[in-house]
Amino acid sequence: TTATRSRVTAYAQAAADGHVVVGKLVHLACERHLRDLKTGEAQGLVFDEDAAERAITFFSYLHQSKGQWAGEPLALQDWQAFVVGSIFGWKETATGLRRFRKVYTEVARKNGKTTLASGIGLYLLDFDGEASAEIYCTATKRDQARLCWSEAMRMVQRTPSLKRRIKIVESRANLHVLETSSKFEALGADNDSMDGLNPHAYIIDELHAHKTRGIVDALETAAGARRQPLAFYITTAGLAKESVYSETHDYARRVVEGVVQDDQWFVYIATLDEARGDIPADDWTDPAVYIKANPSLGVTIQL
């Protein structure tokens, strides 16, 4: 594993050079990062290595709660460090605020996406410099939303330095920091009302399961008053052709393919490659390409 300070760019370079097996869309995301390092100044963008390092290092203080790694410090894999470091490292030159306001991450099941989302939620709750931060982990049902929130709660319980600051009200799926009046809660699309929400960030878990845009639109509107709100979409691939998932996936894909210029979107889509010109599509039965959709292969996923 590369040194923390350079993990974002090192991963991008390794993928671009073919030293890491990735699909075309991840390859494009990595090329975009490398290109923006060269041209960012003209776009009013800067990559803050220290901010990226701080966010990546934060995860090493968290402790995992499940399976064979229960109790162990959380070690981000390189692809996860690329996501985390990109979110918190890229800034607007003029304001110093985060560049990325929408983050779309699509990976296959069992690649550690809920753990990643939970840690990002905790960082946004208490380490992002936002007073009265409101962080919501959302899903179609509150029970599903609680999966992400519960992972964050267990991280707090197992991390003494966090446990001293972050209070837990498990019955209300609420984590809060009295000192900054900030909170991190689970929120389902089946909630009676979205009135009064003022999210600093919201995590949309399993976007492919959402049948309507309701909760996405409500949260996006509610976040309008924040200086640097963050929407974190994290999902496995979906099949629905006309859905909030397909709309979001298609837009994110156009951004990373360069069809749409949108500097506020970060995109990481790990998937097998479709046919391109004379190049045939990946064969899903070929173990050599599994890693394209499963970047955690060999760590959280075994063949």
Side-chain angles (χ1 to χ4, degrees):
T1 300
T2 49
T4 299
R5 177 169 289 277
S6 59
R7 281 185 76 180
V8 178
T9 301
Y11 176 85
Q13 193 68 60
D17 292 344
H19 299 314
V20 177
V21 177
V22 297
K24 179 65 175 174
L25 296 177
V26 170
H27 194 275
L28 288 172
C30 291
E31 286 186 334
R32 182 192 188 198
H33 173 80
L34 297 172
R35 184 171 60 250
D36 288 347
L37 287 176
K38 296 175 183 173
T39 64
E41 187 176 353
Q43 297 164 251
L45 303 171
V46 63
F47 187 63
D48 183 338
E49 288 272 10
D50 290 337
E53 178 188 7
R54 190 161 55 248
I56 292 168
T57 301
F58 167 77
F59 277 79
S60 68
Y61 292 101
L62 302 176
H63 288 76
Q64 301 191 76
S65 63
K66 290 183 179 177
Q68 68 191 82
W69 297 284
E72 295 290 319
L74 178 58
L76 286 182
Q77 295 162 67
D78 286 341
W79 78 268
Q80 294 171 320
F82 176 69
V83 173
V84 172
S86 294
I87 294 170
F88 295 101
W90 277 106
K91 305 238 180 115
E92 298 169 351
T93 310
T95 65
L97 299 177
R98 279 196 310 275
R99 162 196 184 174
F100 293 121
R101 307 300 169 85
K102 302 286 177 67
V103 174
Y104 184 84
T105 303
E106 181 176 308
V107 293
R109 287 173 54 80
K110 304 299 182 185
N111 276 274
K113 59 182 171 38
T114 299
T115 299
L116 180 65
S118 301
I120 286 172
L122 288 174
Y123 191 80
L124 290 159
L125 171 68
D126 200 29
F127 298 87
D128 201 39
E130 186 76 10
S132 300
E134 294 180 20
I135 316 299
Y136 297 104
C137 188
T138 68
T140 51
K141 294 284 191 291
R142 194 160 184 258
D143 286 348
Q144 174 67 31
R146 279 191 74 121
L147 295 179
C148 173
W149 180 89
S150 295
E151 180 77 4
M153 177 194 72
R154 289 190 292 269
M155 287 175 176
V156 171
Q157 288 174 326
R158 292 165 186 268
T159 309
S161 58
L162 292 185
K163 195 174 181 181
R164 285 193 291 271
R165 280 186 60 81
I166 301 174
K167 306 306 176 189
I168 301 169
V169 185
E170 189 170 0
S171 61
R172 291 189 9 233
N174 166 279
L175 298 170
H176 62 273
V177 182
L178 291 172
E179 190 176 313
T180 59
S181 300
S182 299
K183 64 180 180 179
F184 179 4
E185 295 182 336
L187 186 70
D190 51 349
N191 270 51
D192 293 337
S193 173
M194 298 287 166
D195 294 344
L197 301 184
N198 182 18
H200 173 49
Y202 51 95
I203 299 160
I204 307 284
D205 194 16
E206 299 294 12
L207 182 69
H208 71 276
H210 288 253
K211 300 290 191 291
T212 70
R213 293 196 58 87
I215 193 168
V216 176
D217 288 345
L219 287 165
E220 186 169 326
T221 300
R226 294 285 182 173
R227 296 176 309 142
Q228 49 176 357
L230 184 75
F232 190 90
Y233 303 100
I234 192 154
T235 187
T236 50
L239 297 174
K241 293 299 181 190
E242 294 181 12
S243 64
V244 61
Y245 161 78
S246 65
E247 289 172 20
T248 310
H249 169 94
D250 291 349
Y251 185 81
R253 181 172 180 147
R254 289 200 298 273
V255 169
V256 80
E257 288 176 336
V259 178
V260 174
Q261 175 68 26
D262 193 332
D263 284 332
Q264 293 195 336
W265 275 71
F266 172 83
V267 179
Y268 188 95
I269 300 175
T271 186
L272 301 187
D273 289 332
E274 300 166 353
R276 300 194 309 278
D278 296 333
I279 304 172
D282 284 333
D283 176 3
W284 64 270
T285 65
D286 179 4
V289 300
Y290 288 174
I291 197 167
K292 291 185 179 182
N294 296 278
S296 297
L297 191 66
V299 184
T300 63
I301 296 176
Q302 307 298 329
L303 282 178

